[in-house]
Amino acid sequence: MKILILNGPNLNLLGKREPEVYGNQTFEDYFKELTAKFSDLELVYYQSNIEGEIISKIQEVGFSFDGIVLNAASYTHTSVGIGDAVKAVETPVVEVHISNTHKREDFRHVSYISSGAKGVILGFGLQSYDLALESFR
Ligand code: CA2
């Protein structure tokens, strides 16, 4: 099974800033652990700070990959375009968040992704990605 892990804006700063909220591991290090743990899945990683690039990536893989694990980061709460792309493709999308967004500011309680997602996992730190990948096994 071919699965894309797609991260949105500022997630390239993981492990480098705000460790009290997002932990102290870089995503690149964590991705190495994921590829070892999920050796039965073919994992591909892409990160972008640009909304249109995220939409293009969803369209690019959305008719050939078996799954997308999407953390759209702040665009989760603002992007009708990413939400529309998730709904437009055939590949199932699992929405993930590191933090429990419902325990945070009100603007983080809204998601433009969830209504098109197969499921949503949030609040388990980086383990949210493990749990999302488990759903594709
Ligand atoms: O909890 C999550 O995974 C979020 O998607 C993270 C987003 C936030 O806007 C969402 O509400 C919830 C923020 C990602 C920023 O990541 C950083 C990592 C390290 C340092 C600073 C930002």
Side-chain angles (χ1 to χ4, degrees), residues 59 62-63 83-90:
Q59 292 183 11
F63 298 91
D84 283 349
V86 166
K87 291 191 182 97
V89 296
E90 284 171 1

Side-chain angles (χ1 to χ4, degrees), residues 24-97:
N24 48 25
Q25 191 173 21
T26 66
F27 201 86
E28 287 74 13
D29 281 349
Y30 176 61
F31 184 70
K32 281 183 202 147
E33 289 178 19
L34 285 179
T35 50
K37 181 171 174 184
F38 293 92
S39 55
D40 53 323
L41 301 177
E42 190 180 339
L43 301 183
V44 177
Y45 175 54
Y46 182 77
Q47 188 275 334
S48 175
N49 294 321
I50 299 168
E51 186 176 16
E53 288 184 354
I54 294 168
I55 293 169
S56 293
K57 185 54 80 173
I58 292 169
Q59 292 183 11
E60 182 188 317
V61 308
F63 298 91
S64 54
F65 279 39
D66 301 294
I68 300 173
V69 173
L70 173 62
N71 186 348
S74 55
Y75 286 142
T76 303
H77 319 300
T78 62
S79 180
V80 174
I82 296 176
D84 283 349
V86 166
K87 291 191 182 97
V89 296
E90 284 171 1
T91 301
V93 175
V94 176
E95 176 184 357
V96 302
H97 297 286

Side-chain angles (χ1 to χ4, degrees), residues 9-11 13-14 17-18 22 71 73-74 77 97-99 101 104 108:
N10 297 309
L11 286 165
L13 297 178
L14 277 178
R17 297 273 187 283
E18 297 187 47
Y22 298 111
N71 186 348
S74 55
H77 319 300
H97 297 286
I98 297 165
S99 62
T101 48
R104 301 181 67 191
R108 296 186 206 274

